[in-house]
């Protein structure tokens, strides 16, 4: 897997599986460790041996504690052995256990791969989970790289009654490196939060491998 992206509500646990295969011609001993997201992740094995051509499934249990702050968290799983090292970026969205609103984000196909200095465009939909009438909600936008570094950030207050659909556009700085980036949207109202995100690529290379493989 090239990356793992997962959404959790406070107090929720989700399970993912990571397939590791030895494509070499000799036995290797591998160790797994989590960096930056240790409080979220438990693995059923952290050290094991693989013969040539052998595969193994690692169980990953992600848990968001009930008191964790709803936000975007970045980290990685590091797989290491003799002459072997692979890092798998992890993106974890934490939402409130309950929220009066929800949010969806869609990046049109033509903006899934752009160049530094160009604009990223996203369609945003905010909608009520429960009917409460027109209210003002705080919306936070962030664009981050896979290490979690924020390159664009903005907050605004938007009126919502039933639902609100709009287009959001940001200029990507010319200095950013080629790679995958995350467009993250978070709404806050009455002390509760909901969020959504979508990956896109900056650079000359075509978009590839950004769909999460489900096991």
């Amino acid at each position: 897997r090239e990356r793992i992206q997962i959404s959790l509500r406070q107090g929720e646990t989700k399970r993912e599986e990571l397939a590791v295969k030895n494509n070499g011609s000799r036995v290797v001993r591998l160790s797994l460790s989590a960096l930056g997201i240790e409080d979220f992740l438990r693995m059923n094995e952290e050290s094991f041996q693989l013969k040539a051509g052998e595969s193994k499934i690692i169980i990953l249990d992600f848990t968001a504690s009930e008191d964790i702050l709803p936000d975007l968290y970045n980290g990685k799983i590091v797989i290491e052995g003799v002459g072997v090292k692979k890092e798998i970026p992890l993106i974890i969205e934490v939402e409130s256990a309950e929220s009066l609103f929800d949010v969806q984000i869609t990046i049109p196909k033509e903006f899934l791969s752009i160049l530094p200095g160009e604009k990223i465009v996203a369609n945003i939909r905010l909608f009520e989970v429960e009917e409460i009438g027109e209210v003002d909600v705080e919306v936070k936008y962030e664009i981050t790289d896979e290490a979690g570094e924020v390159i664009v950030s903005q907050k605004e207050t938007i009126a919502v009654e039933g639902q609100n659909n709009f287009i959001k556009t940001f200029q990507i700085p010319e200095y950013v490196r080629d790679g995958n980036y995350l467009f993250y949207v978070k709404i806050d109202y009455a002390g509760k939060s909901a969020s959504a995100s979508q990956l896109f690529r900056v650079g000359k290379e075509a978009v590839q491998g950004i769909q999460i493989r489900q096991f």
Side-chain angles (χ1 to χ4, degrees), residues 9-162:
R9 292 190 179 276
Q10 292 168 317
E12 184 179 21
T13 296
K14 288 184 179 179
R15 173 167 290 186
E16 295 280 330
E17 295 182 350
L18 178 66
V20 182
K21 182 177 181 180
N22 180 5
N23 289 321
S25 58
R26 59 187 177 90
V27 175
V28 294
R29 174 163 289 280
L30 300 173
S31 63
L32 277 70
S33 58
L35 297 179
I37 40 75
E38 295 88 342
D39 293 339
F40 292 95
L41 178 60
R42 296 292 180 270
M43 296 181 283
N44 69 327
E45 291 192 64
E46 296 182 356
S47 179
F48 54 91
Q49 183 173 283
L50 289 179
K51 299 177 182 179
E54 187 178 10
S55 298
K56 193 173 190 64
I57 299 294
I58 304 300
I59 304 299
L60 309 174
D61 287 322
F62 293 91
T63 301
S65 64
E66 294 182 356
D67 58 354
I68 190 73
L69 180 68
D71 208 339
L72 185 67
Y73 296 87
N74 294 77
K76 56 188 174 182
I77 293 176
V78 181
I79 305 173
E80 293 183 279
V82 178
V84 176
K85 184 174 182 180
K86 180 175 177 62
E87 296 183 351
I88 302 173
L90 286 171
I91 302 168
I92 301 173
E93 290 179 43
V94 178
E95 300 181 286
S96 296
E98 296 180 359
S99 181
L100 299 174
F101 287 88
D102 207 346
V103 56
Q104 294 177 349
I105 176 173
T106 304
I107 297 176
K109 185 177 180 180
E110 61 268 31
F111 294 100
L112 286 175
S113 183
I114 60 176
L115 296 174
E118 293 185 338
K119 293 180 179 180
I120 181 69
V121 177
N123 299 316
I124 311 296
R125 178 176 175 241
L126 311 179
F127 57 96
E128 296 176 350
V129 176
E130 300 180 13
E131 187 175 345
I132 57 175
E134 183 176 351
V135 294
D136 291 335
V137 301
E138 183 180 83
V139 186
K140 180 177 80 170
Y141 311 93
E142 284 186 353
I143 295 176
T144 68
D145 62 18
E146 287 192 314
E149 182 178 351
V150 178
I151 62 168
V152 175
S153 180
Q154 181 184 317
K155 286 185 179 180
E156 63 180 343
T157 299
I158 293 178
V160 181
E161 182 175 11

